[in-house]
Amino acid sequence: MALRDPVRDFLRHTLATIAYRAAKAERDATPAFADFQIGHGARTPVQLVAHMADLFDWALSMVNGKWDYKQSPPRQWRKEVARFHASLEALDVYLASDAPLGIAAEKLFQGPIADSLTHVGQLAMLRRQADAPVRSESFARSDIVAGRLGTEQTKSQFEFD
């Protein structure tokens, strides 16, 4: 039995955290939320989610030793949400394997992973601006599990206003 890699375990937990927080911001969003615009040049929620999917597609190419970032045009909200979570899952599957990392874990974190954390926060902020705020939560107590990357996340018992 191979020893677990604590760096990969941390990256996988980070992906699960992103999935959890993104799913919370996506949950119960109205169809109009996808195209909510706060100002000229600001990304809409669907553009943010499409970009996050692109980031994790890029991250997967990076761990495979390539540098292939491709910007995809946003599609319908639910399709982009599904694509984003699928891109997280594909990277997680790679990180859970014994395949070598084609890039330093620190570079993977400081690039696409950290960028996506910013965008998840933007989604939550946009929900508030769209008069559909996401409830605050004690995230340190959240049920976040490595490998759970889909939209179906455990609802928190630690939310507050």
Side-chain angles (χ1 to χ4, degrees):
M1 182 167 130
L3 292 175
R4 293 177 56 122
D5 180 342
V7 171
R8 284 184 182 225
D9 287 347
F10 179 77
L11 289 173
R12 293 188 66 219
H13 188 80
T14 302
L15 297 181
T17 300
I18 291 166
Y20 182 91
R21 286 179 170 236
K24 183 172 179 129
E26 298 155 357
R27 188 179 301 129
D28 302 324
T30 66
F33 178 67
D35 298 313
F36 180 74
Q37 183 87 48
I38 61 168
H40 178 71
R43 286 182 175 146
T44 63
V46 74
Q47 289 171 326
L48 286 170
V49 174
H51 176 60
M52 290 190 305
D54 293 341
L55 286 172
F56 287 104
D57 289 345
W58 177 43
L60 185 58
S61 82
M62 293 167 88
V63 297
N64 279 297
K66 300 174 186 155
W67 198 272
D68 295 332
Y69 178 82
K70 295 180 181 109
Q71 186 172 339
S72 304
R75 299 175 296 175
Q76 189 268 341
W77 171 255
R78 284 288 150 217
K79 287 183 181 180
E80 286 303 332
V81 167
R83 185 171 77 89
F84 162 64
H85 286 276
S87 69
L88 280 172
E89 187 171 0
L91 180 58
D92 184 70
V93 166
Y94 191 95
L95 292 173
S97 77
D98 291 332
L101 292 181
I103 189 167
E106 296 83 358
K107 296 290 184 183
L108 186 65
F109 184 86
Q110 79 185 37
I113 293 174
D115 194 22
S116 72
L117 287 166
T118 298
H119 298 312
V120 169
Q122 289 172 325
L123 283 175
M125 186 242 357
L126 288 171
R127 285 287 301 266
R128 184 166 297 280
Q129 293 297 311
D131 291 326
V134 176
R135 291 190 67 195
S136 298
E137 176 174 341
S138 176
F139 286 104
R141 299 167 78 183
S142 302
D143 182 26
I144 296 173
V145 178
R148 187 188 308 149
L149 301 157
T151 58
E152 295 302 318
Q153 297 287 325
T154 305
K155 289 221 177 190
S156 177
Q157 297 177 1
F158 306 103
E159 290 183 332
F160 55 91
D161 293 320

